[in-house]
PDB file of all heavy atoms in Angstrom:
ATOM      1  N   ASN B1150     165.073 -72.971  87.047  1.00  0.00           N
ATOM      2  CA  ASN B1150     166.469 -73.323  87.332  1.00  0.00           C
ATOM      3  C   ASN B1150     167.438 -72.889  86.236  1.00  0.00           C
ATOM      4  O   ASN B1150     168.633 -72.767  86.489  1.00  0.00           O
ATOM      5  CB  ASN B1150     166.598 -74.819  87.568  1.00  0.00           C
ATOM      6  CG  ASN B1150     165.713 -75.293  88.707  1.00  0.00           C
ATOM      7  OD1 ASN B1150     164.829 -76.106  88.505  1.00  0.00           O
ATOM      8  ND2 ASN B1150     165.920 -74.762  89.884  1.00  0.00           N
ATOM      9  N   GLY B1151     166.932 -72.645  85.021  1.00  0.00           N
ATOM     10  CA  GLY B1151     167.781 -72.222  83.905  1.00  0.00           C
ATOM     11  C   GLY B1151     168.661 -73.346  83.379  1.00  0.00           C
ATOM     12  O   GLY B1151     168.782 -74.404  84.004  1.00  0.00           O
ATOM     13  N   ASP B1168     175.433 -76.244  79.443  1.00  0.00           N
ATOM     14  CA  ASP B1168     176.037 -75.304  80.383  1.00  0.00           C
ATOM     15  C   ASP B1168     176.080 -75.953  81.766  1.00  0.00           C
ATOM     16  O   ASP B1168     175.632 -77.094  81.925  1.00  0.00           O
ATOM     17  CB  ASP B1168     175.265 -73.980  80.413  1.00  0.00           C
ATOM     18  CG  ASP B1168     173.947 -74.119  81.147  1.00  0.00           C
ATOM     19  OD1 ASP B1168     173.368 -75.213  81.071  1.00  0.00           O
ATOM     20  OD2 ASP B1168     173.498 -73.157  81.783  1.00  0.00           O
ATOM     21  N   LEU B1169     176.612 -75.242  82.769  1.00  0.00           N
ATOM     22  CA  LEU B1169     176.795 -75.850  84.095  1.00  0.00           C
ATOM     23  C   LEU B1169     176.005 -75.139  85.194  1.00  0.00           C
ATOM     24  O   LEU B1169     176.143 -75.466  86.368  1.00  0.00           O
ATOM     25  CB  LEU B1169     178.284 -75.866  84.462  1.00  0.00           C
ATOM     26  CG  LEU B1169     179.154 -76.785  83.597  1.00  0.00           C
ATOM     27  CD1 LEU B1169     180.609 -76.653  84.009  1.00  0.00           C
ATOM     28  CD2 LEU B1169     178.710 -78.227  83.706  1.00  0.00           C
ATOM     29  N   ARG B1170     175.162 -74.161  84.815  1.00  0.00           N
ATOM     30  CA  ARG B1170     174.482 -73.382  85.860  1.00  0.00           C
ATOM     31  C   ARG B1170     173.276 -74.119  86.435  1.00  0.00           C
ATOM     32  O   ARG B1170     172.558 -74.805  85.723  1.00  0.00           O
ATOM     33  CB  ARG B1170     174.026 -72.032  85.306  1.00  0.00           C
ATOM     34  CG  ARG B1170     173.413 -71.114  86.376  1.00  0.00           C
ATOM     35  CD  ARG B1170     173.009 -69.776  85.786  1.00  0.00           C
ATOM     36  NE  ARG B1170     172.408 -68.892  86.775  1.00  0.00           N
ATOM     37  CZ  ARG B1170     171.104 -68.857  87.067  1.00  0.00           C
ATOM     38  NH1 ARG B1170     170.269 -69.661  86.454  1.00  0.00           N
ATOM     39  NH2 ARG B1170     170.639 -68.012  87.974  1.00  0.00           N
ATOM     40  N   LEU B1171     173.090 -73.925  87.754  1.00  0.00           N
ATOM     41  CA  LEU B1171     171.838 -74.283  88.418  1.00  0.00           C
ATOM     42  C   LEU B1171     171.434 -73.089  89.250  1.00  0.00           C
ATOM     43  O   LEU B1171     172.223 -72.595  90.057  1.00  0.00           O
ATOM     44  CB  LEU B1171     172.002 -75.500  89.330  1.00  0.00           C
ATOM     45  CG  LEU B1171     170.774 -75.798  90.187  1.00  0.00           C
ATOM     46  CD1 LEU B1171     169.882 -76.815  89.524  1.00  0.00           C
ATOM     47  CD2 LEU B1171     171.148 -76.267  91.562  1.00  0.00           C
ATOM     48  N   GLY B1172     170.227 -72.582  89.028  1.00  0.00           N
ATOM     49  CA  GLY B1172     169.788 -71.390  89.758  1.00  0.00           C
ATOM     50  C   GLY B1172     168.393 -71.541  90.317  1.00  0.00           C
ATOM     51  O   GLY B1172     167.694 -72.520  90.047  1.00  0.00           O
ATOM     52  N   MET B1173     168.037 -70.562  91.171  1.00  0.00           N
ATOM     53  CA  MET B1173     166.637 -70.412  91.576  1.00  0.00           C
ATOM     54  C   MET B1173     166.254 -69.014  91.140  1.00  0.00           C
ATOM     55  O   MET B1173     166.705 -68.039  91.752  1.00  0.00           O
ATOM     56  CB  MET B1173     166.473 -70.546  93.093  1.00  0.00           C
ATOM     57  CG  MET B1173     166.432 -71.981  93.579  1.00  0.00           C
ATOM     58  SD  MET B1173     166.451 -72.038  95.375  1.00  0.00           S
ATOM     59  CE  MET B1173     164.846 -71.345  95.740  1.00  0.00           C
ATOM     60  N   LEU B1176     168.957 -66.127  91.262  1.00  0.00           N
ATOM     61  CA  LEU B1176     170.044 -66.500  92.177  1.00  0.00           C
ATOM     62  C   LEU B1176     170.715 -67.793  91.727  1.00  0.00           C
ATOM     63  O   LEU B1176     170.055 -68.812  91.568  1.00  0.00           O
ATOM     64  CB  LEU B1176     169.478 -66.677  93.589  1.00  0.00           C
ATOM     65  CG  LEU B1176     170.437 -67.219  94.650  1.00  0.00           C
ATOM     66  CD1 LEU B1176     171.496 -66.199  94.995  1.00  0.00           C
ATOM     67  CD2 LEU B1176     169.669 -67.642  95.890  1.00  0.00           C
ATOM     68  N   THR B1177     172.048 -67.727  91.538  1.00  0.00           N
ATOM     69  CA  THR B1177     172.781 -68.923  91.140  1.00  0.00           C
ATOM     70  C   THR B1177     173.112 -69.764  92.372  1.00  0.00           C
ATOM     71  O   THR B1177     173.681 -69.266  93.346  1.00  0.00           O
ATOM     72  CB  THR B1177     174.059 -68.553  90.384  1.00  0.00           C
ATOM     73  OG1 THR B1177     173.703 -67.757  89.261  1.00  0.00           O
ATOM     74  CG2 THR B1177     174.785 -69.791  89.909  1.00  0.00           C
ATOM     75  N   ILE B1178     172.750 -71.052  92.329  1.00  0.00           N
ATOM     76  CA  ILE B1178     172.971 -71.966  93.442  1.00  0.00           C
ATOM     77  C   ILE B1178     174.264 -72.755  93.245  1.00  0.00           C
ATOM     78  O   ILE B1178     175.008 -73.009  94.174  1.00  0.00           O
ATOM     79  CB  ILE B1178     171.794 -72.963  93.551  1.00  0.00           C
ATOM     80  CG1 ILE B1178     170.476 -72.227  93.754  1.00  0.00           C
ATOM     81  CG2 ILE B1178     172.032 -73.985  94.649  1.00  0.00           C
ATOM     82  CD1 ILE B1178     170.373 -71.428  95.000  1.00  0.00           C
ATOM     83  N   SER B1179     174.508 -73.161  91.991  1.00  0.00           N
ATOM     84  CA  SER B1179     175.681 -73.994  91.700  1.00  0.00           C
ATOM     85  C   SER B1179     176.216 -73.695  90.308  1.00  0.00           C
ATOM     86  O   SER B1179     175.450 -73.372  89.400  1.00  0.00           O
ATOM     87  CB  SER B1179     175.295 -75.466  91.807  1.00  0.00           C
ATOM     88  OG  SER B1179     176.291 -76.273  91.229  1.00  0.00           O
ATOM     89  N   ASN B1180     177.547 -73.818  90.159  1.00  0.00           N
ATOM     90  CA  ASN B1180     178.128 -73.708  88.810  1.00  0.00           C
ATOM     91  C   ASN B1180     178.769 -75.030  88.403  1.00  0.00           C
ATOM     92  O   ASN B1180     179.695 -75.071  87.617  1.00  0.00           O
ATOM     93  CB  ASN B1180     179.125 -72.550  88.730  1.00  0.00           C
ATOM     94  CG  ASN B1180     180.164 -72.612  89.821  1.00  0.00           C
ATOM     95  OD1 ASN B1180     180.318 -73.648  90.461  1.00  0.00           O
ATOM     96  ND2 ASN B1180     180.867 -71.522  90.034  1.00  0.00           N
ATOM     97  N   ASN B1181     178.250 -76.112  88.998  1.00  0.00           N
ATOM     98  CA  ASN B1181     178.720 -77.450  88.612  1.00  0.00           C
ATOM     99  C   ASN B1181     177.525 -78.393  88.533  1.00  0.00           C
ATOM    100  O   ASN B1181     177.390 -79.311  89.340  1.00  0.00           O
ATOM    101  CB  ASN B1181     179.754 -77.946  89.619  1.00  0.00           C
ATOM    102  CG  ASN B1181     180.398 -79.248  89.176  1.00  0.00           C
ATOM    103  OD1 ASN B1181     180.369 -79.569  87.981  1.00  0.00           O
ATOM    104  ND2 ASN B1181     180.942 -79.994  90.117  1.00  0.00           N
ATOM    105  N   PHE B1182     176.645 -78.135  87.582  1.00  0.00           N
ATOM    106  CA  PHE B1182     175.444 -78.953  87.412  1.00  0.00           C
ATOM    107  C   PHE B1182     175.331 -79.399  85.950  1.00  0.00           C
ATOM    108  O   PHE B1182     174.595 -78.800  85.155  1.00  0.00           O
ATOM    109  CB  PHE B1182     174.200 -78.147  87.823  1.00  0.00           C
ATOM    110  CG  PHE B1182     172.937 -78.967  87.882  1.00  0.00           C
ATOM    111  CD1 PHE B1182     172.653 -79.769  88.978  1.00  0.00           C
ATOM    112  CD2 PHE B1182     172.017 -78.921  86.832  1.00  0.00           C
ATOM    113  CE1 PHE B1182     171.481 -80.520  89.033  1.00  0.00           C
ATOM    114  CE2 PHE B1182     170.836 -79.660  86.890  1.00  0.00           C
ATOM    115  CZ  PHE B1182     170.577 -80.460  87.985  1.00  0.00           C
ATOM    116  N   LYS B1184     174.219 -81.273  82.615  1.00  0.00           N
ATOM    117  CA  LYS B1184     172.879 -81.710  82.210  1.00  0.00           C
ATOM    118  C   LYS B1184     172.920 -82.794  81.143  1.00  0.00           C
ATOM    119  O   LYS B1184     171.894 -83.109  80.529  1.00  0.00           O
ATOM    120  CB  LYS B1184     172.095 -80.509  81.698  1.00  0.00           C
ATOM    121  CG  LYS B1184     171.813 -79.488  82.787  1.00  0.00           C
ATOM    122  CD  LYS B1184     171.670 -78.088  82.235  1.00  0.00           C
ATOM    123  CE  LYS B1184     171.645 -77.067  83.335  1.00  0.00           C
ATOM    124  NZ  LYS B1184     172.989 -76.775  83.896  1.00  0.00           N
ATOM    125  N   ALA B1200     165.127 -78.676  87.528  1.00  0.00           N
ATOM    126  CA  ALA B1200     166.276 -79.485  87.963  1.00  0.00           C
ATOM    127  C   ALA B1200     165.853 -80.773  88.668  1.00  0.00           C
ATOM    128  O   ALA B1200     166.473 -81.829  88.467  1.00  0.00           O
ATOM    129  CB  ALA B1200     167.178 -78.656  88.868  1.00  0.00           C
ATOM    130  N   LEU B1323     169.928 -66.789  82.531  1.00  0.00           N
ATOM    131  CA  LEU B1323     169.684 -68.010  83.310  1.00  0.00           C
ATOM    132  C   LEU B1323     170.591 -69.173  82.916  1.00  0.00           C
ATOM    133  O   LEU B1323     170.515 -70.251  83.504  1.00  0.00           O
ATOM    134  CB  LEU B1323     168.213 -68.435  83.174  1.00  0.00           C
ATOM    135  CG  LEU B1323     167.165 -67.422  83.640  1.00  0.00           C
ATOM    136  CD1 LEU B1323     165.763 -67.982  83.452  1.00  0.00           C
ATOM    137  CD2 LEU B1323     167.381 -67.052  85.106  1.00  0.00           C
TER     138      LEU B1323
END
Side-chain angles (χ1 to χ4, degrees):
Chain B
N1150 302 118
D1168 74 327
L1169 293 177
R1170 185 179 179 271
L1171 172 94
M1173 279 173 68
L1176 173 70
T1177 303
I1178 301 298
S1179 166
N1180 52 15
N1181 187 21
F1182 189 80
K1184 294 152 190 77
L1323 300 180

